[in-house]
Short mmCIF file of all heavy atoms in Angstrom, two decimals:
data_model
loop_
_atom_site.label_atom_id
_atom_site.label_comp_id
_atom_site.label_asym_id
_atom_site.label_seq_id
_atom_site.Cartn_x
_atom_site.Cartn_y
_atom_site.Cartn_z
N ILE A 1321 12.50 -5.85 -0.83
CA ILE A 1321 11.21 -6.30 -1.30
C ILE A 1321 11.40 -6.92 -2.67
O ILE A 1321 12.06 -6.36 -3.53
CB ILE A 1321 10.22 -5.13 -1.41
CG1 ILE A 1321 9.98 -4.54 -0.02
CG2 ILE A 1321 8.93 -5.58 -2.04
CD1 ILE A 1321 9.13 -3.30 -0.05
N VAL A 1322 10.83 -8.09 -2.85
CA VAL A 1322 10.94 -8.80 -4.12
C VAL A 1322 9.54 -9.09 -4.64
O VAL A 1322 8.67 -9.50 -3.89
CB VAL A 1322 11.70 -10.13 -3.95
CG1 VAL A 1322 11.74 -10.90 -5.24
CG2 VAL A 1322 13.10 -9.86 -3.45
N ARG A 1323 9.35 -8.85 -5.91
CA ARG A 1323 8.06 -9.17 -6.55
C ARG A 1323 8.35 -10.01 -7.77
O ARG A 1323 9.13 -9.62 -8.62
CB ARG A 1323 7.35 -7.89 -6.95
CG ARG A 1323 6.02 -8.13 -7.59
CD ARG A 1323 5.34 -6.82 -7.88
NE ARG A 1323 4.09 -7.08 -8.55
CZ ARG A 1323 3.35 -6.15 -9.08
NH1 ARG A 1323 3.73 -4.90 -9.03
NH2 ARG A 1323 2.24 -6.46 -9.69
N PHE A 1324 7.74 -11.18 -7.83
CA PHE A 1324 7.93 -12.10 -8.94
C PHE A 1324 6.65 -12.18 -9.76
O PHE A 1324 5.73 -12.90 -9.41
CB PHE A 1324 8.28 -13.51 -8.44
CG PHE A 1324 9.61 -13.58 -7.74
CD1 PHE A 1324 9.68 -13.61 -6.37
CD2 PHE A 1324 10.77 -13.62 -8.48
CE1 PHE A 1324 10.90 -13.67 -5.73
CE2 PHE A 1324 12.00 -13.68 -7.85
CZ PHE A 1324 12.07 -13.71 -6.48
N PRO A 1325 6.56 -11.43 -10.86
CA PRO A 1325 5.37 -11.56 -11.71
C PRO A 1325 5.40 -12.90 -12.43
O PRO A 1325 6.47 -13.41 -12.77
CB PRO A 1325 5.49 -10.40 -12.68
CG PRO A 1325 6.93 -10.06 -12.71
CD PRO A 1325 7.50 -10.45 -11.36
N LEU A 1326 4.25 -13.46 -12.64
CA LEU A 1326 4.15 -14.74 -13.33
C LEU A 1326 3.66 -14.50 -14.76
O LEU A 1326 2.83 -13.63 -15.00
CB LEU A 1326 3.16 -15.66 -12.61
CG LEU A 1326 3.52 -16.02 -11.18
CD1 LEU A 1326 2.41 -16.85 -10.55
CD2 LEU A 1326 4.84 -16.76 -11.11
N PRO A 1327 4.15 -15.29 -15.71
CA PRO A 1327 3.67 -15.14 -17.09
C PRO A 1327 2.20 -15.55 -17.18
O PRO A 1327 1.68 -16.28 -16.34
CB PRO A 1327 4.56 -16.08 -17.89
CG PRO A 1327 5.12 -17.03 -16.90
CD PRO A 1327 5.15 -16.32 -15.58
N ALA A 1328 1.53 -15.07 -18.21
CA ALA A 1328 0.11 -15.35 -18.38
C ALA A 1328 -0.19 -16.83 -18.59
O ALA A 1328 -1.29 -17.29 -18.32
CB ALA A 1328 -0.44 -14.53 -19.54
N ASN A 1329 0.77 -17.61 -19.09
CA ASN A 1329 0.54 -19.03 -19.39
C ASN A 1329 0.98 -19.96 -18.26
O ASN A 1329 1.42 -21.07 -18.51
CB ASN A 1329 1.23 -19.39 -20.70
CG ASN A 1329 2.73 -19.19 -20.64
OD1 ASN A 1329 3.24 -18.58 -19.70
ND2 ASN A 1329 3.45 -19.70 -21.63
N VAL A 1330 0.83 -19.54 -17.02
CA VAL A 1330 1.19 -20.38 -15.87
C VAL A 1330 0.21 -21.56 -15.80
O VAL A 1330 -1.00 -21.37 -15.94
CB VAL A 1330 1.11 -19.56 -14.56
CG1 VAL A 1330 1.30 -20.46 -13.35
CG2 VAL A 1330 2.13 -18.46 -14.57
N PRO A 1331 0.71 -22.79 -15.59
CA PRO A 1331 -0.19 -23.94 -15.47
C PRO A 1331 -1.20 -23.72 -14.34
O PRO A 1331 -0.86 -23.19 -13.29
CB PRO A 1331 0.74 -25.10 -15.14
CG PRO A 1331 2.08 -24.67 -15.62
CD PRO A 1331 2.11 -23.17 -15.47
N ALA A 1332 -2.42 -24.12 -14.57
CA ALA A 1332 -3.49 -23.93 -13.59
C ALA A 1332 -3.15 -24.52 -12.23
O ALA A 1332 -3.56 -24.01 -11.19
CB ALA A 1332 -4.79 -24.53 -14.11
N SER A 1333 -2.34 -25.59 -12.20
CA SER A 1333 -1.98 -26.22 -10.94
C SER A 1333 -1.10 -25.33 -10.06
O SER A 1333 -0.97 -25.57 -8.87
CB SER A 1333 -1.28 -27.56 -11.20
OG SER A 1333 -0.07 -27.33 -11.93
N LEU A 1334 -0.49 -24.30 -10.64
CA LEU A 1334 0.39 -23.41 -9.88
C LEU A 1334 -0.29 -22.10 -9.46
O LEU A 1334 0.30 -21.31 -8.73
CB LEU A 1334 1.64 -23.08 -10.70
CG LEU A 1334 2.52 -24.26 -11.07
CD1 LEU A 1334 3.69 -23.79 -11.92
CD2 LEU A 1334 3.01 -24.99 -9.83
N VAL A 1335 -1.50 -21.88 -9.91
CA VAL A 1335 -2.20 -20.63 -9.62
C VAL A 1335 -3.15 -20.84 -8.45
O VAL A 1335 -3.90 -21.81 -8.41
CB VAL A 1335 -2.98 -20.14 -10.86
CG1 VAL A 1335 -3.81 -18.90 -10.53
CG2 VAL A 1335 -2.03 -19.86 -12.00
N VAL A 1336 -3.10 -19.93 -7.47
CA VAL A 1336 -4.03 -19.99 -6.35
C VAL A 1336 -5.36 -19.41 -6.82
O VAL A 1336 -5.42 -18.26 -7.24
CB VAL A 1336 -3.50 -19.17 -5.15
CG1 VAL A 1336 -4.51 -19.18 -4.01
CG2 VAL A 1336 -2.15 -19.70 -4.69
N PRO A 1337 -6.41 -20.20 -6.79
CA PRO A 1337 -7.71 -19.68 -7.23
C PRO A 1337 -8.13 -18.48 -6.39
O PRO A 1337 -7.80 -18.38 -5.22
CB PRO A 1337 -8.67 -20.86 -7.00
CG PRO A 1337 -7.79 -22.06 -6.93
CD PRO A 1337 -6.48 -21.58 -6.36
N ALA A 1338 -8.88 -17.57 -6.98
CA ALA A 1338 -9.30 -16.35 -6.30
C ALA A 1338 -9.98 -16.64 -4.97
O ALA A 1338 -9.78 -15.93 -4.00
CB ALA A 1338 -10.21 -15.54 -7.20
N ALA A 1339 -10.76 -17.70 -4.91
CA ALA A 1339 -11.47 -18.02 -3.67
C ALA A 1339 -10.52 -18.45 -2.56
O ALA A 1339 -10.86 -18.38 -1.40
CB ALA A 1339 -12.48 -19.14 -3.93
N ASP A 1340 -9.30 -18.88 -2.91
CA ASP A 1340 -8.36 -19.37 -1.92
C ASP A 1340 -7.18 -18.43 -1.68
O ASP A 1340 -6.19 -18.82 -1.09
CB ASP A 1340 -7.80 -20.73 -2.35
CG ASP A 1340 -8.86 -21.81 -2.34
OD1 ASP A 1340 -9.85 -21.66 -1.61
OD2 ASP A 1340 -8.69 -22.80 -3.06
N GLN A 1341 -7.26 -17.18 -2.12
CA GLN A 1341 -6.14 -16.27 -1.96
C GLN A 1341 -5.82 -15.97 -0.50
O GLN A 1341 -4.74 -15.49 -0.20
CB GLN A 1341 -6.37 -14.97 -2.72
CG GLN A 1341 -6.15 -15.15 -4.20
CD GLN A 1341 -6.27 -13.83 -4.94
OE1 GLN A 1341 -6.83 -12.88 -4.43
NE2 GLN A 1341 -5.73 -13.79 -6.13
N ASN A 1342 -6.72 -16.26 0.42
CA ASN A 1342 -6.45 -16.00 1.83
C ASN A 1342 -5.50 -17.02 2.44
O ASN A 1342 -5.14 -16.92 3.60
CB ASN A 1342 -7.76 -15.94 2.62
CG ASN A 1342 -8.56 -14.71 2.27
OD1 ASN A 1342 -7.99 -13.67 1.95
ND2 ASN A 1342 -9.87 -14.83 2.29
N ILE A 1343 -5.11 -18.04 1.66
CA ILE A 1343 -4.14 -19.02 2.15
C ILE A 1343 -2.85 -18.32 2.54
O ILE A 1343 -2.27 -18.58 3.57
CB ILE A 1343 -3.88 -20.11 1.09
CG1 ILE A 1343 -5.13 -20.96 0.92
CG2 ILE A 1343 -2.68 -20.96 1.46
CD1 ILE A 1343 -5.05 -21.95 -0.23
N ALA A 1344 -2.38 -17.41 1.70
CA ALA A 1344 -1.21 -16.59 2.00
C ALA A 1344 -1.72 -15.18 2.17
O ALA A 1344 -2.18 -14.56 1.22
CB ALA A 1344 -0.19 -16.66 0.88
N GLY A 1345 -1.67 -14.67 3.40
CA GLY A 1345 -2.22 -13.35 3.64
C GLY A 1345 -1.15 -12.36 4.08
O GLY A 1345 -0.08 -12.74 4.56
N THR A 1346 -1.46 -11.10 3.92
CA THR A 1346 -0.56 -10.03 4.33
C THR A 1346 -0.20 -10.19 5.79
O THR A 1346 -1.06 -10.42 6.64
CB THR A 1346 -1.24 -8.67 4.09
OG1 THR A 1346 -1.61 -8.59 2.72
CG2 THR A 1346 -0.33 -7.53 4.43
N GLY A 1347 1.09 -10.11 6.08
CA GLY A 1347 1.58 -10.24 7.44
C GLY A 1347 1.94 -11.65 7.85
O GLY A 1347 2.56 -11.86 8.89
N GLN A 1348 1.56 -12.65 7.05
CA GLN A 1348 1.87 -14.05 7.40
C GLN A 1348 3.37 -14.27 7.34
O GLN A 1348 4.06 -13.83 6.43
CB GLN A 1348 1.17 -14.98 6.42
CG GLN A 1348 1.39 -16.44 6.73
CD GLN A 1348 0.59 -17.34 5.80
OE1 GLN A 1348 -0.13 -16.89 4.94
NE2 GLN A 1348 0.75 -18.63 6.00
N GLN A 1349 3.90 -14.94 8.34
CA GLN A 1349 5.33 -15.25 8.40
C GLN A 1349 5.67 -16.36 7.39
O GLN A 1349 4.91 -17.30 7.23
CB GLN A 1349 5.73 -15.71 9.80
CG GLN A 1349 5.52 -14.62 10.85
CD GLN A 1349 6.39 -13.40 10.56
OE1 GLN A 1349 7.59 -13.48 10.45
NE2 GLN A 1349 5.75 -12.25 10.42
N ILE A 1350 6.82 -16.21 6.72
CA ILE A 1350 7.26 -17.19 5.73
C ILE A 1350 8.74 -17.48 5.94
O ILE A 1350 9.44 -16.75 6.64
CB ILE A 1350 7.06 -16.69 4.29
CG1 ILE A 1350 7.85 -15.39 4.06
CG2 ILE A 1350 5.59 -16.51 3.97
CD1 ILE A 1350 8.01 -15.01 2.61
N VAL A 1351 9.20 -18.56 5.32
CA VAL A 1351 10.63 -18.84 5.22
C VAL A 1351 10.94 -19.14 3.75
O VAL A 1351 10.12 -19.69 3.03
CB VAL A 1351 11.10 -20.02 6.11
CG1 VAL A 1351 10.96 -19.67 7.57
CG2 VAL A 1351 10.35 -21.29 5.80
N VAL A 1352 12.11 -18.71 3.31
CA VAL A 1352 12.56 -18.93 1.95
C VAL A 1352 13.77 -19.84 2.03
O VAL A 1352 14.71 -19.57 2.79
CB VAL A 1352 12.92 -17.60 1.25
CG1 VAL A 1352 13.41 -17.85 -0.16
CG2 VAL A 1352 11.72 -16.66 1.24
N LEU A 1353 13.76 -20.93 1.27
CA LEU A 1353 14.84 -21.91 1.30
C LEU A 1353 15.60 -21.87 -0.02
O LEU A 1353 15.03 -21.60 -1.07
CB LEU A 1353 14.28 -23.31 1.52
CG LEU A 1353 13.35 -23.47 2.73
CD1 LEU A 1353 12.75 -24.85 2.74
CD2 LEU A 1353 14.08 -23.17 4.01
N GLY A 1354 16.88 -22.15 0.02
CA GLY A 1354 17.68 -22.18 -1.20
C GLY A 1354 19.01 -22.87 -0.95
O GLY A 1354 19.31 -23.30 0.15
N ASN A 1355 19.80 -22.94 -1.99
CA ASN A 1355 21.13 -23.58 -1.91
C ASN A 1355 22.10 -22.72 -2.71
O ASN A 1355 22.75 -23.18 -3.63
CB ASN A 1355 21.04 -25.00 -2.46
CG ASN A 1355 22.34 -25.77 -2.28
OD1 ASN A 1355 23.19 -25.39 -1.47
ND2 ASN A 1355 22.50 -26.83 -3.03
N SER A 1356 22.16 -21.44 -2.36
CA SER A 1356 22.93 -20.47 -3.14
C SER A 1356 24.42 -20.78 -3.18
O SER A 1356 25.10 -20.48 -4.15
CB SER A 1356 22.71 -19.07 -2.59
OG SER A 1356 23.06 -19.01 -1.22
N ALA A 1357 24.96 -21.37 -2.15
CA ALA A 1357 26.39 -21.68 -2.12
C ALA A 1357 26.70 -23.02 -2.77
O ALA A 1357 27.87 -23.39 -2.90
CB ALA A 1357 26.90 -21.67 -0.69
N ALA A 1358 25.68 -23.77 -3.17
CA ALA A 1358 25.82 -25.08 -3.81
C ALA A 1358 26.64 -26.05 -2.97
O ALA A 1358 27.26 -26.95 -3.49
CB ALA A 1358 26.42 -24.94 -5.20
N GLY A 1359 26.60 -25.87 -1.66
CA GLY A 1359 27.35 -26.74 -0.78
C GLY A 1359 26.50 -27.75 -0.06
O GLY A 1359 26.96 -28.41 0.86
N GLY A 1360 25.22 -27.88 -0.46
CA GLY A 1360 24.34 -28.83 0.19
C GLY A 1360 23.78 -28.32 1.50
O GLY A 1360 23.15 -29.05 2.23
N VAL A 1361 24.03 -27.05 1.82
CA VAL A 1361 23.50 -26.45 3.03
C VAL A 1361 22.37 -25.51 2.62
O VAL A 1361 22.54 -24.65 1.77
CB VAL A 1361 24.59 -25.65 3.78
CG1 VAL A 1361 24.01 -24.96 5.00
CG2 VAL A 1361 25.73 -26.57 4.17
N VAL A 1362 21.21 -25.70 3.22
CA VAL A 1362 20.04 -24.89 2.85
C VAL A 1362 19.82 -23.83 3.93
O VAL A 1362 19.35 -24.14 5.02
CB VAL A 1362 18.78 -25.78 2.70
CG1 VAL A 1362 17.57 -24.94 2.37
CG2 VAL A 1362 19.02 -26.85 1.65
N PRO A 1363 20.17 -22.58 3.63
CA PRO A 1363 19.90 -21.52 4.60
C PRO A 1363 18.41 -21.21 4.64
O PRO A 1363 17.71 -21.32 3.64
CB PRO A 1363 20.69 -20.32 4.07
CG PRO A 1363 20.84 -20.57 2.62
CD PRO A 1363 20.85 -22.06 2.44
N VAL A 1364 17.93 -20.83 5.81
CA VAL A 1364 16.53 -20.46 6.00
C VAL A 1364 16.48 -18.95 6.18
O VAL A 1364 17.07 -18.42 7.11
CB VAL A 1364 15.93 -21.17 7.23
CG1 VAL A 1364 14.49 -20.72 7.47
CG2 VAL A 1364 16.00 -22.68 7.06
N LEU A 1365 15.80 -18.26 5.27
CA LEU A 1365 15.65 -16.81 5.34
C LEU A 1365 14.22 -16.50 5.74
O LEU A 1365 13.28 -16.98 5.11
CB LEU A 1365 15.98 -16.19 3.98
CG LEU A 1365 17.35 -16.57 3.41
CD1 LEU A 1365 17.48 -16.11 1.97
CD2 LEU A 1365 18.45 -15.98 4.27
N GLU A 1366 14.04 -15.72 6.79
CA GLU A 1366 12.70 -15.44 7.31
C GLU A 1366 12.18 -14.12 6.79
O GLU A 1366 12.94 -13.21 6.48
CB GLU A 1366 12.73 -15.43 8.83
CG GLU A 1366 13.11 -16.77 9.42
CD GLU A 1366 13.14 -16.75 10.94
OE1 GLU A 1366 12.73 -15.75 11.55
OE2 GLU A 1366 13.54 -17.76 11.52
N GLY A 1367 10.86 -14.02 6.69
CA GLY A 1367 10.23 -12.78 6.26
C GLY A 1367 8.74 -12.87 6.45
O GLY A 1367 8.24 -13.74 7.17
N SER A 1368 8.03 -11.97 5.78
CA SER A 1368 6.57 -12.00 5.85
C SER A 1368 5.97 -11.59 4.51
O SER A 1368 6.64 -10.96 3.68
CB SER A 1368 6.06 -11.07 6.96
OG SER A 1368 6.46 -9.74 6.71
N VAL A 1369 4.73 -11.95 4.31
CA VAL A 1369 4.01 -11.62 3.08
C VAL A 1369 3.58 -10.16 3.16
O VAL A 1369 2.99 -9.73 4.15
CB VAL A 1369 2.77 -12.53 2.90
CG1 VAL A 1369 1.95 -12.10 1.70
CG2 VAL A 1369 3.19 -13.98 2.79
N LEU A 1370 3.91 -9.39 2.11
CA LEU A 1370 3.51 -7.98 2.05
C LEU A 1370 2.22 -7.78 1.28
O LEU A 1370 1.42 -6.93 1.61
CB LEU A 1370 4.62 -7.15 1.41
CG LEU A 1370 5.97 -7.16 2.15
CD1 LEU A 1370 6.99 -6.38 1.36
CD2 LEU A 1370 5.81 -6.59 3.55
N ALA A 1371 2.04 -8.57 0.21
CA ALA A 1371 0.83 -8.45 -0.62
C ALA A 1371 0.64 -9.72 -1.42
O ALA A 1371 1.59 -10.42 -1.72
CB ALA A 1371 0.95 -7.25 -1.56
N VAL A 1372 -0.61 -10.00 -1.77
CA VAL A 1372 -0.95 -11.15 -2.60
C VAL A 1372 -1.84 -10.66 -3.73
O VAL A 1372 -2.85 -10.01 -3.48
CB VAL A 1372 -1.68 -12.25 -1.80
CG1 VAL A 1372 -2.06 -13.41 -2.70
CG2 VAL A 1372 -0.84 -12.71 -0.63
N GLY A 1373 -1.44 -10.94 -4.96
CA GLY A 1373 -2.24 -10.57 -6.12
C GLY A 1373 -2.67 -11.82 -6.85
O GLY A 1373 -2.31 -12.93 -6.46
N PRO A 1374 -3.40 -11.66 -7.92
CA PRO A 1374 -3.88 -12.83 -8.66
C PRO A 1374 -2.75 -13.63 -9.31
O PRO A 1374 -2.88 -14.82 -9.51
CB PRO A 1374 -4.82 -12.25 -9.70
CG PRO A 1374 -4.47 -10.82 -9.80
CD PRO A 1374 -3.87 -10.42 -8.49
N LEU A 1375 -1.63 -12.98 -9.63
CA LEU A 1375 -0.52 -13.67 -10.28
C LEU A 1375 0.82 -13.46 -9.58
O LEU A 1375 1.86 -13.77 -10.15
CB LEU A 1375 -0.39 -13.21 -11.74
CG LEU A 1375 -1.58 -13.53 -12.65
CD1 LEU A 1375 -1.35 -12.94 -14.03
CD2 LEU A 1375 -1.79 -15.02 -12.75
N TRP A 1376 0.82 -12.95 -8.34
CA TRP A 1376 2.09 -12.71 -7.66
C TRP A 1376 1.91 -12.70 -6.15
O TRP A 1376 0.83 -12.49 -5.64
CB TRP A 1376 2.74 -11.41 -8.13
CG TRP A 1376 1.84 -10.21 -8.10
CD1 TRP A 1376 1.07 -9.75 -9.14
CD2 TRP A 1376 1.56 -9.36 -6.99
NE1 TRP A 1376 0.35 -8.66 -8.74
CE2 TRP A 1376 0.64 -8.39 -7.42
CE3 TRP A 1376 2.00 -9.31 -5.69
CZ2 TRP A 1376 0.16 -7.39 -6.59
CZ3 TRP A 1376 1.51 -8.30 -4.86
CH2 TRP A 1376 0.62 -7.37 -5.32
N VAL A 1377 3.03 -12.93 -5.46
CA VAL A 1377 3.11 -12.79 -4.01
C VAL A 1377 4.32 -11.91 -3.74
O VAL A 1377 5.41 -12.18 -4.23
CB VAL A 1377 3.28 -14.15 -3.30
CG1 VAL A 1377 3.49 -13.96 -1.81
CG2 VAL A 1377 2.09 -15.05 -3.57
N GLU A 1378 4.14 -10.87 -2.96
CA GLU A 1378 5.23 -9.96 -2.62
C GLU A 1378 5.61 -10.22 -1.16
O GLU A 1378 4.75 -10.30 -0.30
CB GLU A 1378 4.77 -8.52 -2.81
CG GLU A 1378 5.87 -7.51 -2.71
CD GLU A 1378 5.40 -6.11 -3.09
OE1 GLU A 1378 4.32 -5.96 -3.68
OE2 GLU A 1378 6.13 -5.16 -2.77
N TYR A 1379 6.91 -10.35 -0.90
CA TYR A 1379 7.37 -10.63 0.45
C TYR A 1379 8.64 -9.85 0.74
O TYR A 1379 9.27 -9.31 -0.16
CB TYR A 1379 7.59 -12.14 0.66
CG TYR A 1379 8.63 -12.74 -0.25
CD1 TYR A 1379 9.96 -12.82 0.15
CD2 TYR A 1379 8.29 -13.23 -1.51
CE1 TYR A 1379 10.92 -13.37 -0.68
CE2 TYR A 1379 9.25 -13.78 -2.33
CZ TYR A 1379 10.56 -13.85 -1.92
OH TYR A 1379 11.51 -14.39 -2.74
N ASP A 1380 9.03 -9.81 2.02
CA ASP A 1380 10.19 -9.01 2.41
C ASP A 1380 11.39 -9.83 2.88
O ASP A 1380 12.34 -9.28 3.41
CB ASP A 1380 9.80 -7.99 3.47
CG ASP A 1380 9.37 -8.62 4.79
OD1 ASP A 1380 9.32 -9.86 4.89
OD2 ASP A 1380 9.07 -7.86 5.72
N ALA A 1381 11.39 -11.14 2.66
CA ALA A 1381 12.55 -11.96 3.02
C ALA A 1381 13.72 -11.58 2.13
O ALA A 1381 13.54 -11.15 0.99
CB ALA A 1381 12.23 -13.45 2.86
N GLU A 1382 14.91 -11.72 2.65
CA GLU A 1382 16.11 -11.38 1.90
C GLU A 1382 16.21 -12.22 0.62
O GLU A 1382 15.85 -13.39 0.62
CB GLU A 1382 17.34 -11.65 2.77
CG GLU A 1382 18.65 -11.34 2.12
CD GLU A 1382 19.84 -11.66 2.99
OE1 GLU A 1382 19.66 -12.12 4.13
OE2 GLU A 1382 20.97 -11.46 2.51
N SER A 1383 16.69 -11.61 -0.44
CA SER A 1383 16.94 -12.33 -1.69
C SER A 1383 18.43 -12.61 -1.79
O SER A 1383 19.24 -11.70 -1.62
CB SER A 1383 16.51 -11.49 -2.89
OG SER A 1383 15.13 -11.34 -2.90
N VAL A 1384 18.76 -13.84 -2.04
CA VAL A 1384 20.16 -14.24 -2.14
C VAL A 1384 20.42 -14.76 -3.54
O VAL A 1384 19.70 -15.64 -4.03
CB VAL A 1384 20.49 -15.33 -1.09
CG1 VAL A 1384 21.92 -15.80 -1.24
CG2 VAL A 1384 20.23 -14.83 0.31
N LYS A 1385 21.44 -14.22 -4.17
CA LYS A 1385 21.79 -14.65 -5.53
C LYS A 1385 22.05 -16.16 -5.52
O LYS A 1385 22.77 -16.68 -4.69
CB LYS A 1385 23.05 -13.92 -6.00
CG LYS A 1385 23.44 -14.23 -7.41
CD LYS A 1385 24.65 -13.42 -7.83
CE LYS A 1385 25.03 -13.77 -9.26
NZ LYS A 1385 26.17 -12.99 -9.72
N GLY A 1386 21.41 -16.85 -6.45
CA GLY A 1386 21.57 -18.30 -6.53
C GLY A 1386 20.43 -19.08 -5.90
O GLY A 1386 20.36 -20.29 -6.01
N ASN A 1387 19.52 -18.40 -5.22
CA ASN A 1387 18.39 -19.08 -4.57
C ASN A 1387 17.16 -19.16 -5.45
O ASN A 1387 16.11 -19.59 -5.01
CB ASN A 1387 18.00 -18.39 -3.27
CG ASN A 1387 18.80 -18.89 -2.09
OD1 ASN A 1387 19.70 -19.71 -2.25
ND2 ASN A 1387 18.52 -18.37 -0.92
N SER A 1388 17.25 -18.72 -6.69
CA SER A 1388 16.06 -18.72 -7.54
C SER A 1388 15.51 -20.13 -7.67
O SER A 1388 16.23 -21.10 -7.78
CB SER A 1388 16.38 -18.14 -8.92
OG SER A 1388 17.33 -18.93 -9.58
N GLY A 1389 14.21 -20.22 -7.62
CA GLY A 1389 13.55 -21.52 -7.73
C GLY A 1389 13.35 -22.22 -6.41
O GLY A 1389 12.69 -23.24 -6.35
N GLY A 1390 13.91 -21.67 -5.33
CA GLY A 1390 13.72 -22.27 -4.02
C GLY A 1390 12.30 -22.04 -3.52
O GLY A 1390 11.64 -21.08 -3.91
N PRO A 1391 11.81 -22.89 -2.63
CA PRO A 1391 10.43 -22.74 -2.16
C PRO A 1391 10.27 -21.61 -1.15
O PRO A 1391 11.20 -21.25 -0.43
CB PRO A 1391 10.15 -24.09 -1.49
CG PRO A 1391 11.48 -24.55 -1.03
CD PRO A 1391 12.45 -24.06 -2.09
N ILE A 1392 9.08 -21.05 -1.11
CA ILE A 1392 8.67 -20.09 -0.09
C ILE A 1392 7.59 -20.80 0.70
O ILE A 1392 6.56 -21.19 0.15
CB ILE A 1392 8.12 -18.80 -0.73
CG1 ILE A 1392 9.20 -18.15 -1.59
CG2 ILE A 1392 7.64 -17.85 0.37
CD1 ILE A 1392 8.69 -17.01 -2.42
N ILE A 1393 7.85 -21.00 1.97
CA ILE A 1393 6.91 -21.77 2.81
C ILE A 1393 6.33 -20.86 3.88
O ILE A 1393 7.03 -20.15 4.53
CB ILE A 1393 7.65 -22.96 3.49
CG1 ILE A 1393 8.25 -23.84 2.40
CG2 ILE A 1393 6.71 -23.74 4.37
CD1 ILE A 1393 9.16 -24.92 2.90
#
């Protein structure tokens, strides 16, 4: 389980407004993309959303060293 808290000064364009928090809901399937091996190959790691808060999304997809900054779709 990984939880990424966001700093208080996150740009408004990156924050999901309270009215739209149902976009990512508990149990929703996700994929995490990254390039941890730096070989130009993007592994797809599957998981699901565990919780959504006002400043964080918690999910259960595997965390791979070097994938920081990759998208969660």
Side-chain angles (χ1 to χ4, degrees):
I1321 297 174
V1322 176
R1323 181 176 177 189
F1324 295 101
L1326 299 176
N1329 61 348
V1330 173
S1333 62
L1334 299 178
V1335 175
V1336 177
D1340 293 336
Q1341 283 185 342
N1342 291 328
I1343 291 173
T1346 303
Q1348 182 176 359
Q1349 297 298 304
I1350 60 165
V1351 293
V1352 179
L1353 307 174
N1355 186 18
S1356 57
V1361 177
V1362 178
V1364 177
L1365 306 170
E1366 297 180 7
S1368 61
V1369 175
L1370 299 176
V1372 178
L1375 296 177
W1376 51 267
V1377 175
E1378 189 172 345
Y1379 61 92
D1380 65 358
E1382 180 182 359
S1383 293
V1384 177
K1385 184 177 179 179
N1387 273 3
S1388 63
I1392 300 171
I1393 302 171

